[in-house]
């Protein structure tokens, strides 16, 4: 029942379904600059009940309007005209993106009301640091950071709407297709301003399987056959990419990257302001999104620690939005999960434990890999661990500052350090594709820089005298860790790096100096 679902934590699939349904009843309006909110809502209500709405800034003011009934959209679309083609010719595609202007601006000018705008990006790190200094513990600092950076309800609605608008296009070719977000938009670890990863799914075909058993004939569609699934994926994305490029209102900078390991189309969706990556359904990526969703829902400390470590890594140039030899956010998140599995008692269960709790409907075998785990959060026993985030943050740096990366790998299925199967500097087992290392891209200097930063951070947290720093108005706790460790500490850094290969120390200190200059701008960037 609906009431029962609303009191317990919803499953990943329930949340997805609900959000996709919500997005189908939603339109986006570019508003006139002088707007009376009440008048706008009054007008829209003539087409049906407005269930929710918000305004945001995106090259002018935009409004996201969610109707209670899908039919209200058709009613509104009937009232909307096609732009006059005086200087531009238009592609006559009728979408759910509208521009409203005032018919008689002068008389309505007086009634402008101040609007509440929902922020769609997070505050710069330097502003965050000031907020953190006002907190009373490292733990509350971490929750402040989480609240500033995490996706808001409004931003999530906008992400699902972007997918829904792309789906309106894919349905022209594939009437049963859906477009769903995956990754950080849905796994509870997404940050304001991050890209939207979306995939095209043709798998809503499960409905037919029961009917097929009836009758005397084996029946199937005649379909175009191609030598490989990859080629089919490339062709489909190529055509959808052209379609968005040629006809998609507000779709700009469309790039088709069809030879990547996972072919995709990159584009900017101007009406929502998102950078989007569209690929064809990747079941394993969806299982990873759901696994992280479960971990993020189990205990509030999980997300607070992940957001903190990611922000810390970004400030110190350990992660980067450009691909390269840096540690990725996904790898960092997995390192945090592993650390939380290793606490005593553990804060989150291992993947093998989640698999034991799985029932029939949770069984997923994908490409020969067992990707089963429990989806109902009620079946997972809450942790008995009561450690504060203050303790966990220091312990995280301590743990990885002294981890034997030469010998051991990180395995979330077992929640144990396991001997490395091969010699990559950092080896983190892909939780589902067991023969893959998700951090294969990381090189030795980057790993050693991570270790040095972790040691330095552990040392700062242990050494500091909070009261004294607060009296002196100096950044303390987490705030002190989000300031690049620069020239003032480089002599101390050398001291902390005993036992790290000397050949990388020089390159490390150079990169620190380099990072010092641009890491603050970078931290703001993503």
């Amino acid at each position: 029942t609906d009431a029962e679902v609303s009191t317990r934590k919803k499953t990943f699939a329930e949340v997805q379904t609900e959000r996709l349904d919500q997005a189908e009843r939603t339109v986006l309006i570019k508003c006139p600059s002088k707007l009376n909110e009440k008048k706008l809502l009054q007008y829209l209500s003539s087409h049906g009940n407005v269930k929710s709405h918000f305004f945001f800034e995106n090259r002018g003011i935009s409004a996201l309007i969610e109707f209670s009934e899908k039919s209200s959209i058709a009613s509104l679309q009937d009232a909307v005209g096609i732009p006059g083609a005086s200087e531009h010719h238009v592609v006559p595609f009728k979408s759910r993106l509208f521009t409203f202007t005032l018919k008689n601006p002068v008389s309505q000018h007086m009634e402008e009301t101040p609007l509440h705008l929902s922020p769609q990006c997070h505050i710069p790190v330097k502003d965050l640091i000031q907020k953190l200094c006002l907190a009373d513990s490292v733990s509350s600092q971490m929750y402040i950071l989480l609240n500033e950076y995490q996706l808001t309800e409004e931003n999530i609605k906008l992400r699902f709407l972007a997918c829904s608008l792309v789906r309106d296009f894919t349905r022209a070719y594939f009437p049963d297709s859906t477009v769903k977000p995956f990754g950080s938009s849905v796994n509870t670890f997404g940050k304001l301003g991050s890209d939207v990863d979306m995939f095209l799914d043709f798998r809503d075909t499960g409905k037919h399987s029961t009917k097929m058993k009836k009758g005397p004939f084996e029946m199937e569609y005649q379909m175009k056959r191609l030598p490989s699934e990859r080629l089919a994926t490339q062709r489909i994305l190529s055509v959808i990419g052209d379609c968005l490029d040629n006809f998609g209102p507000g779709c700009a900078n469309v790039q088709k990257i069809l030879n990547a390991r996972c072919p995709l189309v990159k584009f900017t969706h101007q009406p929502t302001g998102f950078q989007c990556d569209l690929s064809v359904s990747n079941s394993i990526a969806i299982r990873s999104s759901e696994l992280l969703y479960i971990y993020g829902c189990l205990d509030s400390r999980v997300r607070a620690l992940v957001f903190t470590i990611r922000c810390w890594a970004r400030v110190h140039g350990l992660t980067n939005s450009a691909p390269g030899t840096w540690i990725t956010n996904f790898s960092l998140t997995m390192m945090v999960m592993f650390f939380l599995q290793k606490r005593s008692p553990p804060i989150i269960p291992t993947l093998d434990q989640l698999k034991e709790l799985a029932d029939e409907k949770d069984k997923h075998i994908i490409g020969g890999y067992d990707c089963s785990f429990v989806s109902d959060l009620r079946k997972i026993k809450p942790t008995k661990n009561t450690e504060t985030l203050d303790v966990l943050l220091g312990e995280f740096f301590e743990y990885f500052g002294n981890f034997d990366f030469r010998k051991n790998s990180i395995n979330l299925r077992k929640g144990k350090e396991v001997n490395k199967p091969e010699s990559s500097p950092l080896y983190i087992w892909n939780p589902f594709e067991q023969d893959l290392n998700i951090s294969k891209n990381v090189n030795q200097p980057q790993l050693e820089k991570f270790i040095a930063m972790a040691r330095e951070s552990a040392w700062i947290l242990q050494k500091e005298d909070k009261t004294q720093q607060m009296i002196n108005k100096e950044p303390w706790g987490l705030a002190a860790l989000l300031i690049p460790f620069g020239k003032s500490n480089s002599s101390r850094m050398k001291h902390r790096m005993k036992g790290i290969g000397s050949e990388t120390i020089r390159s490390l200190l150079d990169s620190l100096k380099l990072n010092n200059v641009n890491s603050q701008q970078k931290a703001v960037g993503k």
Side-chain angles (χ1 to χ4, degrees):
T1 65
D2 285 352
E4 180 250 347
V5 169
S6 65
T7 52
R8 65 173 168 83
K9 284 268 192 194
K10 298 184 178 109
T11 67
F12 181 74
E14 285 164 351
V15 175
Q16 288 277 81
T17 306
E18 198 175 287
R19 295 263 183 212
L20 288 163
D21 175 59
Q22 199 174 44
E24 292 209 347
R25 295 181 275 106
T26 300
V27 301
L28 200 59
I29 299 173
K30 213 171 175 22
C31 298
S33 56
K34 305 210 180 302
L35 180 70
N36 180 311
E37 179 172 358
K38 200 165 148 213
K39 272 218 158 120
L40 176 71
L41 291 172
Q42 221 168 354
Y43 170 70
L44 290 168
S45 300
S46 68
H47 295 284
N49 182 46
V50 174
K51 192 169 181 191
S52 77
H53 76 285
F54 66 88
F55 297 95
F56 64 101
E57 168 70 50
N58 174 22
R59 301 188 296 177
I61 304 286
S62 294
L64 179 142
I65 309 288
E66 180 201 341
F67 286 105
S68 299
E69 301 293 332
K70 210 174 155 181
S71 56
S72 306
I73 294 178
S75 164
L76 177 59
Q77 280 172 324
D78 283 345
V80 173
I82 284 178
S86 50
E87 69 279 17
H88 289 295
H89 288 283
V90 296
V91 173
F93 178 76
K94 295 178 180 171
S95 72
R96 290 178 280 147
L97 299 163
F98 310 118
T99 302
F100 281 26
T101 40
L102 294 171
K103 284 179 180 166
N104 190 347
V106 185
S107 66
Q108 297 183 12
H109 170 77
M110 305 305 291
E111 303 167 24
E112 186 187 349
T113 49
L115 293 174
H116 170 70
L117 297 177
S118 302
Q120 302 303 321
C121 56
H122 62 77
I123 58 174
V125 171
K126 58 176 193 315
D127 299 358
L128 175 69
I129 289 172
Q130 290 180 331
K131 279 197 174 185
L132 297 182
C133 290
L134 303 172
D136 58 359
S137 67
V138 170
S139 196
S140 34
Q141 286 182 327
M142 290 168 73
Y143 282 118
I144 289 170
L145 182 145
L146 174 63
N147 279 317
E148 289 295 339
Y149 276 42
Q150 68 184 351
L151 301 184
T152 58
E153 174 65 20
E154 292 81 13
N155 190 267
I156 293 170
K157 284 184 175 172
L158 214 44
R159 286 167 185 268
F160 276 86
L161 177 61
C163 293
S164 185
L165 293 167
V166 171
R167 191 225 56 192
D168 289 347
F169 269 99
T170 65
R171 288 211 166 160
Y173 295 96
F174 306 107
D176 290 336
S177 61
T178 52
V179 176
K180 301 176 185 168
F182 70 98
S184 67
S185 297
V186 295
N187 66 16
T188 75
F189 295 97
K191 181 171 117 186
L192 284 173
S194 62
D195 297 355
V196 180
D197 292 309
M198 44 176 84
F199 69 89
L200 180 54
D201 198 6
F202 308 103
R203 255 160 249 216
D204 280 12
T205 43
K207 321 189 258 287
H208 306 309
S209 54
T210 44
K211 291 184 188 151
M212 280 170 64
K213 295 191 174 70
K214 299 195 175 99
F217 299 108
E218 287 290 342
M219 301 179 291
E220 59 179 30
Y221 286 106
Q222 293 181 17
M223 287 180 167
K224 182 107 176 157
R225 292 182 186 275
L226 292 169
S228 72
E229 188 184 7
R230 181 175 172 82
L231 189 60
T233 296
Q234 288 170 325
R235 294 233 178 135
I236 291 166
L237 284 175
S238 181
V239 172
I240 301 292
D242 285 340
C243 190
L244 291 171
D245 200 9
N246 288 303
F247 306 144
C251 294
N253 312 323
V254 178
Q255 281 173 287
K256 300 194 283 189
I257 306 170
L258 302 180
N259 289 322
R261 194 174 70 89
C262 176
L264 75 154
V265 175
K266 276 177 130 34
F267 62 97
T268 307
H269 191 255
Q270 289 168 334
T272 55
F274 292 123
Q275 285 296 328
C276 303
D277 285 358
L278 173 68
S279 49
V280 168
S281 177
N282 171 346
S283 313
I284 287 189
I286 299 147
R287 295 303 284 162
S288 298
S289 303
E290 176 164 4
L291 177 65
L292 285 175
Y293 171 85
I294 288 173
Y295 282 148
C297 289
L298 284 178
D299 190 294
S300 66
R301 291 170 293 181
V302 177
R303 296 173 63 239
L305 188 57
V306 168
F307 275 80
T308 298
I309 297 299
R310 283 182 175 186
C311 183
W312 166 85
R314 173 52 57 120
V315 166
H316 298 297
L318 296 171
T319 53
N320 196 307
S321 46
T325 56
W326 297 275
I327 297 179
T328 62
N329 270 330
F330 184 56
S331 293
L332 265 183
T333 304
M334 289 305 181
M335 289 168 87
V336 175
M337 297 305 161
F338 183 72
F339 165 75
L340 295 171
Q341 290 175 341
K342 296 275 298 174
R343 301 310 292 161
S344 180
I347 293 178
I348 55 173
T350 66
L351 186 47
D352 279 347
Q353 288 164 338
L354 293 178
K355 185 179 148 183
E356 308 253 291
L357 296 169
D359 59 20
E360 264 317 297
K361 69 173 181 359
D362 295 326
K363 290 264 180 285
H364 286 266
I365 310 286
I366 302 167
Y369 296 105
D370 190 342
C371 303
S372 311
F373 54 82
V374 67
S375 58
D376 184 347
L377 292 151
R378 291 171 302 179
K379 293 186 183 165
I380 305 167
K381 286 196 179 71
T383 176
K384 297 203 161 53
N385 181 305
T386 57
E387 291 173 297
T388 63
L389 280 167
D390 303 50
V391 169
L392 291 171
L393 183 62
E395 291 285 322
F396 175 88
F397 293 131
E398 194 70 33
Y399 179 73
F400 282 113
N402 298 300
F403 188 89
D404 188 353
F405 288 102
R406 268 188 302 258
K407 180 168 143 268
N408 290 330
S409 65
I410 291 170
N411 186 320
L412 281 97
R413 283 208 90 91
K414 303 193 173 19
K416 282 204 200 47
E417 296 121 350
V418 184
N419 281 343
K420 276 207 279 203
E422 48 98 348
S423 63
S424 298
L426 174 61
Y427 197 105
I428 304 172
W429 297 69
N430 181 314
F432 301 116
E433 297 173 86
Q434 278 288 284
D435 39 7
L436 293 182
N437 170 13
I438 62 172
S439 50
K440 203 175 172 56
N441 63 308
V442 179
N443 65 12
Q444 194 63 30
Q446 285 299 325
L447 176 63
E448 291 186 355
K449 185 172 162 187
F450 170 80
I451 296 167
M453 292 295 182
R455 290 180 183 179
E456 176 71 358
S457 300
W459 191 78
I460 289 175
L461 287 174
Q462 279 160 13
K463 280 282 170 289
E464 73 175 8
D465 175 353
K466 183 177 113 179
T467 340
Q468 198 47 51
Q469 283 169 307
M470 290 179 92
I471 293 164
N472 296 351
K473 300 244 187 300
E474 287 169 24
W476 60 277
L478 176 54
L481 301 184
L482 296 184
I483 296 166
F485 309 148
K487 299 189 175 63
S488 60
N489 338 21
S490 60
S491 57
R492 204 167 71 202
M493 278 296 276
K494 284 179 190 141
H495 172 67
R496 313 264 352 119
M497 286 167 62
K498 286 199 180 99
I500 292 187
S502 61
E503 76 283 356
T504 51
I505 286 192
R506 198 174 293 106
S507 72
L508 201 61
L509 289 170
D510 288 344
S511 70
L512 284 181
K513 283 175 195 143
L514 246 170
N515 269 312
N516 215 14
V517 183
N518 59 12
S519 56
Q520 279 196 294
Q521 287 103 319
K522 241 190 237 155
V524 179
K526 193 147 186 192

